[in-house]
Amino acid sequence: ERGSPYYEAASRGKLFTACNQSAVTWGTALTATAVTFTLSNTLGSGVNLAIISCGVTMITSSTAGSLVYAANVSPNAAAVIHGTPLTVRGALLGTTGNLGLADGACTLPAAPVAIRTLCSGFTTNANMTVRDYPDGSIVVAPGCAVTIQGITIVGTGLVDMVWEEISIS
């Protein structure tokens, strides 16, 4: 009998999800003032955050452009300044205990660098949803963060992310 590849992590309380509860506005360039969706891992957390999936719903778009995973990759930099926390939920609904933090707006220690394209090719007023499955190939180490940001796009939308918290020791 074969179940979901993520059932074990979810049932053990190690799989988490967060989603914007209202539309966010995409920026046109990578910036340290992140106002979309940011997943951060506090220095000293003792876990890595392995991103399983990320979904974007584009509500409005007035210019074509791209959305990317943008990362802060220096664990020795200043910490993320949390602004608008999102509620993180255990994938085993009703559980808590996450170490990864999700924000709808925050200040990053520096402008992030694009590490992976999430989606592109939006046209004006394109109502669509895109889901990407890194399946753990993007891992946020303690002291680092990943945010979803726009490049040359003007529009609004929602972001959700699912990640597994894996002990380092």
Side-chain angles (χ1 to χ4, degrees):
E1 182 175 328
R2 181 176 163 91
S4 162
Y6 305 109
Y7 176 80
E8 183 178 344
S11 67
R12 291 184 299 113
K14 300 297 181 187
L15 201 64
F16 298 93
T17 186
C19 183
N20 294 101
Q21 299 298 299
S22 59
V24 296
T25 301
W26 313 118
T28 57
L30 301 181
T31 176
T33 306
V35 292
T36 60
F37 183 103
T38 300
L39 176 64
S40 61
N41 191 357
T42 312
L43 191 63
S45 70
V47 297
N48 285 323
L49 311 178
I51 298 173
I52 304 301
S53 73
C54 181
V56 170
T57 297
M58 182 64 68
I59 298 170
T60 65
S61 178
S62 59
T63 62
S66 299
L67 295 177
V68 298
Y69 294 90
N72 288 97
V73 296
S74 176
N76 297 319
V80 169
I81 299 171
H82 300 283
T84 306
L86 298 175
T87 300
V88 175
R89 306 233 181 250
L92 177 59
L93 299 176
T95 62
T96 58
N98 58 291
L99 295 168
L101 301 175
D103 284 282
C106 66
T107 302
L108 302 170
V113 295
I115 59 166
R116 179 176 170 142
T117 301
L118 178 57
C119 49
S120 64
F122 292 110
T123 59
T124 57
N125 293 317
N127 292 318
M128 62 187 305
T129 299
V130 175
R131 179 153 302 277
D132 181 47
Y133 295 93
D135 282 332
S137 66
I138 299 173
V139 179
V140 184
C144 296
V146 68
T147 184
I148 304 304
Q149 293 199 18
I151 298 178
T152 70
I153 191 167
V154 175
T156 63
L158 297 170
V159 178
D160 76 84
M161 194 173 285
V162 176
W163 68 93
E164 183 178 358
E165 297 189 355
I166 302 169
S167 178
I168 295 172
S169 55

